[in-house]
Amino acid sequence: MQLAPNTCATHCPYCALQCGMNLVSAAGRGLKIAPRNFPVNRGGLCQKGWSATELLDNPERLQTPLLRDTKGMPLRAGSWDEALDRIASEIRNAQVCFGPDAVGVFGGGSLTNEKAYLLGKFARVALRTSHIDYNGRFCMSSAAAASIKALGLDRGLPFPLEDIPRAQTILLIGSNVAETMPPIMQYFEAQRANGGSLIVVDPRATPTAQAASLYLQITPGTDAALANGLLHIAIQQGYLDQEFISSRTSGFEQVRHVTNSYWPGRVERITGIPESQLYAAARLLGTAKSAMILTARGPEQQSHGVENVLAFINLALALGKAGRAHCGYGCLTGQGNGQGGREHGQKSDQLPGYRRIDNPEHRAHIAQVWGIREQDLPSAGCSAYEMLDRLGTTSGVRALLVFGSNLAVSAPRASHIEKRLDALDFLAVSDFFLSETAERADVVLPSAQWAEEEGTMTNLEGRVLYRRRAVEPPAGVRTDLQIIAGIAQRVGAGAFFPSEPAQVFAELRRASAGGIADYAGITYERIERENGVFWPCPNEDHPGTPRLFLDRFATKDGRARFHAVEHHGASEQPDREFPLYLTTGRVMAHYQSGTQTRRIPKLMELAPRAFVEIHPAMASVYQIAEGDAVRLTTRRGSAMAAARLTTSIRLDTIFVPFHFAGVGRANLLTNPALDPSSRMPEFKVCAARIEREDHVGKA
Ligand code: SF4
């Protein structure tokens, strides 16, 4: 379609749906948002998307570097040379005194592929540190680890969204897409209109659950028991696809054995879901011609998140509902570039193209593309929370560079993380605004926003998208690529670091060639012409791969793997002192830590502050009325919020959104218990106490 000369076709800056939008130049520097009929969102946007341009001219926008001369002094304005020289000097000091691993890099799942790629290379080539990880570790890492174990490859959805309406049954676990990414609901609505069934599993009867044909109100932390229980019924009722199991999978017998002990009565006791509903769900899945099983953060952000996801993949495989048209297991990615951000080397154990840093062949390929010796590549570092937990200690990082992440709000056990940030010898943060993390930094670098630079993002379908630059960044602001190149130049590695997105993407294509996430055949021009290109796409004549696993899974022998999984529950269970389950999540008006959306007045009108959802019957036990100020306490600390009484939540559960800073910060409460393989913290379940604020301290 020919666009008007003053119109720029691009994508929303926020979530993993990456809705297409048009930016229309208005008078001056202003930009207006207009609908774009892009295949993902088909013109729709949510409130966040419609207000996104308000970020560009926001009065709180950082427009000059800020420096703190000594700890305890306020930040002051400085020049770019001064800021970058200071960073380079602090890197040198830390590494001379404590070695290369004394410097760490923390990235984000909202960075473009180009930035994620260059940041990974920067850590390994310019800093020679093993310490790089990113906030996607807090987001999709359990689904990623489970998908790799079972299917051989991690791509959020193995099919495009357009396939959803043709799935006869969909099981959606722990996702409130009606609020977090509303335009996706058109696909679920079309599926229902086609006569399909939608089963939603959630401790809260969210707007998504209210759109379901069957809603299962699960006890937090019992997802693996639910999956095993559904498989138990499927076996009992003869719903298995024996032909699929024998021809396309391995390891089923062990799973059959484990699920023997998940009879419906026991699963009802564990999950709180009535037996009749378990049978109904198993029947809808087991008798459907096509079915999809989709997970999100609910089952994933747990200390057994990988096992939870594996249990649901077992169910999909046993029913023969994977690797076929309009079937499959998928993860609904959350952050804007949660998918691409985990493919190109921002993760401590990864190299570009979804290669592994501990694989000699993978290391050799990347070293050759980067023009360094393989032995000069560092080994794997530790995961995000483990790095943060040791900041400023003798064995930990002493100087940290943060790009696009607000750790003081988004990390679990946030008050501890604040102390660790303050214990650093040096902290530099690149951001658009003075986030709660940037406030603690020694150097703050003002970076360009999404409409001010070009680059690619990979959405939840694995579709690589192109964001065009619509306006120049304000004077005084630089892109993250320029910032990385500027620091690299000052530490003597400038020759390795281009700062133009097209150059970086060309290098990323070469680096990813032959890898699992192969972008070699993807160009900016193709993305624009074809409305995105699905990876893997090994060469420019390749059409891309919208649908994975139709012939074989991505394992060595082409078979998917079953994994026998037991229910363990959350690492912290309610007790006398902390009698309720606390779960956290998102609201429609805000994105992640709220650094951006909390600065948009329209969005703040809709959701101005933290609240806690509690069932009215439980509220009456604690003499709490609607709107009362309440104190929430866990073993990590306390937070304050206004009570919101709703019958949509389980009696034993309370819910707090995690977007807010200050006393309403949900992550003051959350438990950093880590999944043993993905190292994902248990954001979704912990034990908590609630008290009306005027009761606190009274006997
Ligand atoms: S659903 Fe996500 S990508 Fe779409 S407009 Fe909303 S925040 Fe942006």
Side-chain angles (χ1 to χ4, degrees):
M1 189 181 76
Q2 197 69 34
L3 291 172
N6 62 343
T7 300
C8 171
T10 187
H11 296 270
C12 173
Y14 299 118
C15 84
L17 201 54
Q18 282 297 293
C19 295
M21 58 167 60
N22 285 322
L23 296 180
V24 184
S25 307
R29 199 172 163 272
L31 284 176
K32 279 203 210 141
I33 294 172
R36 176 182 176 195
N37 191 19
F38 192 74
V40 170
N41 55 312
R42 299 169 175 167
L45 296 172
C46 75
Q47 296 151 334
K48 297 183 289 290
W50 284 119
S51 60
T53 50
E54 292 183 31
L55 291 171
L56 298 170
D57 293 323
N58 190 290
E60 291 184 56
R61 180 88 193 267
L62 295 174
Q63 305 218 12
T64 185
L66 302 174
L67 293 97
R68 194 185 311 277
D69 294 321
T70 53
K71 298 277 180 198
M73 295 287 287
L75 287 163
R76 62 165 176 85
S79 71
W80 274 99
D81 276 342
E82 198 182 2
L84 297 177
D85 287 347
R86 169 87 181 274
I87 293 172
S89 145
E90 297 281 358
I91 289 170
R92 268 192 300 274
N93 288 347
Q95 294 193 320
V96 165
C97 295
F98 303 103
D101 277 352
V103 179
V105 178
F106 202 98
S110 294
L111 302 179
T112 61
N113 290 318
E114 289 79 354
K115 293 180 191 183
Y117 169 81
L118 209 67
L119 203 55
K121 180 181 176 185
F122 171 73
R124 277 69 178 238
V125 175
L127 303 179
R128 302 271 180 99
T129 179
S130 64
H131 286 314
I132 174 163
D133 217 65
Y134 81 126
N135 63 17
R137 182 76 74 168
F138 297 160
C139 210
M140 285 78 55
S141 58
S142 287
S147 295
I148 292 168
K149 277 176 192 249
L151 310 173
L153 177 153
D154 155 42
R155 197 183 84 184
L157 297 179
F159 42 72
L161 291 171
E162 69 188 53
D163 285 6
I164 286 177
R166 296 185 60 192
Q168 202 179 331
T169 296
I170 296 177
L171 175 62
L172 182 59
I173 310 114
S175 175
N176 182 16
V177 282
E179 286 201 83
T180 57
M181 45 178 72
I184 204 176
M185 286 306 285
Q186 61 189 295
Y187 296 96
F188 293 102
E189 283 156 12
Q191 185 251 355
R192 294 292 311 279
N194 287 345
S197 304
L198 174 64
I199 310 165
V200 173
V201 180
D202 201 302
R204 303 161 61 218
T206 62
T208 313
Q210 285 160 22
S213 20
L214 177 62
Y215 165 50
L216 311 180
Q217 191 162 41
I218 192 169
T219 303
T222 63
D223 304 82
L226 170 63
N228 283 355
L230 293 176
L231 185 47
H232 178 106
I233 296 172
I235 294 169
Q236 188 192 60
Q237 300 289 316
Y239 296 145
L240 298 194
D241 186 334
Q242 299 290 358
E243 208 286 312
F244 182 89
I245 292 171
S246 61
S247 64
R248 298 207 51 194
T249 70
S250 58
F252 178 63
E253 282 314 311
Q254 263 182 302
V255 170
R256 181 201 290 273
H257 180 72
V258 164
T259 54
N260 276 343
S261 58
Y262 289 83
W263 61 90
R266 179 179 175 225
V267 173
E268 176 177 326
R269 282 195 297 283
I270 297 172
T271 63
I273 300 168
E275 276 189 54
S276 59
Q277 292 186 356
L278 296 172
Y279 276 103
R283 182 175 44 76
L284 287 172
L285 285 163
T287 59
K289 285 198 180 68
S290 54
M292 294 173 175
I293 297 183
L294 306 175
T295 64
R297 306 303 82 74
E300 298 166 14
Q301 287 180 320
Q302 296 184 29
S303 58
H304 294 283
V306 175
E307 291 187 340
N308 290 342
V309 175
L310 285 170
F312 285 109
I313 294 177
N314 288 342
L315 181 61
L317 295 175
L319 298 174
K321 299 298 192 296
R324 287 182 166 159
H326 314 116
C327 291
Y329 161 75
C331 151
L332 294 169
T333 305
Q335 292 196 77
N337 199 26
Q339 182 67 48
R342 67 183 188 259
E343 296 166 357
H344 297 297
Q346 224 187 154
K347 219 168 160 186
S348 63
D349 51 359
Q350 273 180 0
L351 291 172
Y354 231 129
R355 288 184 166 87
R356 290 193 58 88
I357 205 164
D358 58 1
N359 179 312
E361 281 174 34
H362 293 185
R363 291 171 64 87
H365 171 81
I366 295 300
Q368 179 263 323
V369 173
W370 287 351
I372 62 169
R373 299 180 314 165
E374 184 268 330
Q375 59 265 41
D376 290 337
L377 269 176
S379 52
C382 58
S383 72
Y385 184 77
E386 291 165 298
M387 183 188 351
L388 298 178
D389 187 33
R390 291 175 212 154
L391 293 179
T393 63
T394 45
S395 62
V397 162
R398 311 295 298 234
L400 181 70
L401 315 183
V402 177
F403 290 79
S405 195
N406 187 6
L407 300 165
V409 175
S410 63
R413 198 186 168 200
S415 58
H416 170 67
I417 297 306
E418 279 180 334
K419 286 185 195 131
R420 301 278 28 105
L421 289 169
D422 293 346
L424 283 164
D425 297 335
F426 179 74
L427 173 64
V429 173
S430 168
D431 212 320
F432 324 132
F433 298 105
L434 196 64
S435 70
E436 288 72 17
T437 306
E439 280 173 8
R440 317 182 93 84
D442 301 290
V443 174
V444 182
L445 303 171
S447 53
Q449 292 194 39
W450 99 110
E452 299 163 348
E453 56 182 356
E454 67 175 353
T456 60
M457 305 283 281
T458 305
N459 82 344
L460 79 179
E461 306 165 284
R463 186 194 301 251
V464 185
L465 306 164
Y466 176 56
R467 272 192 194 164
R468 292 169 73 193
R469 184 164 74 168
V471 284
E472 292 285 333
V477 162
R478 292 192 184 174
T479 68
D480 281 328
L481 296 183
Q482 290 169 333
I483 291 169
I484 294 167
I487 303 170
Q489 189 245 324
R490 283 165 172 80
V491 297
F496 293 92
F497 291 90
S499 62
E500 281 305 313
Q503 281 176 288
V504 178
F505 192 68
E507 189 182 305
L508 180 160
R509 291 173 59 199
R510 288 202 305 284
S512 75
I516 288 174
D518 191 334
Y519 283 38
I522 303 176
T523 64
Y524 286 178
E525 295 72 29
R526 272 194 74 178
I527 297 173
E528 290 215 277
R529 206 169 50 238
E530 299 172 25
N531 277 333
V533 180
F534 291 81
W535 69 259
C537 181
N539 60 65
E540 289 190 40
D541 296 324
H542 190 283
T545 315
R547 295 170 183 86
L548 294 167
F549 312 138
L550 293 181
D551 303 319
R552 67 191 309 280
F553 291 96
T555 53
K556 273 201 178 121
D557 61 7
R559 288 170 174 266
R561 305 265 185 277
F562 282 96
H563 289 81
V565 162
E566 294 279 8
H567 158 71
H568 300 287
S571 62
E572 201 175 74
Q573 294 294 328
D575 54 21
R576 284 171 68 90
E577 199 183 352
F578 301 102
L580 297 170
Y581 288 107
L582 168 74
T583 190
T584 64
R586 289 167 55 185
V587 298
M588 190 187 285
H590 291 291
Y591 178 66
Q592 302 301 89
S593 72
T595 304
Q596 298 168 87
T597 50
R598 281 189 277 118
R599 289 178 163 85
I600 295 184
K602 274 182 212 150
L603 298 178
M604 284 303 279
E605 269 172 39
L606 294 166
R609 64 186 71 84
F611 60 87
V612 53
E613 280 187 4
I614 181 168
H615 195 283
M618 190 54 75
S620 75
V621 171
Y622 293 98
Q623 298 170 34
I624 292 169
E626 176 74 21
D628 277 354
V630 296
R631 179 181 293 257
L632 306 168
T633 307
T634 68
R635 290 184 175 85
R636 271 68 54 196
S638 289
M640 299 262 298
R644 190 176 283 184
L645 274 51
T646 171
T647 54
S648 64
I649 194 162
R650 287 177 58 91
L651 203 60
D652 56 5
T653 304
I654 51 177
F655 165 86
V656 184
F658 59 63
H659 311 289
F660 298 96
V663 294
R665 212 173 356 157
N667 281 318
L668 292 168
L669 307 166
T670 48
N671 186 356
L674 299 182
D675 180 281
S677 89
S678 70
R679 318 308 285 167
M680 160 79 86
E682 193 155 56
F683 288 99
K684 274 290 184 270
V685 199
C686 67
R689 184 169 71 229
I690 188 167
E691 297 154 281
R692 211 170 75 197
E693 180 56 9
D694 60 355
H695 287 189
V696 174
K698 291 185 184 164

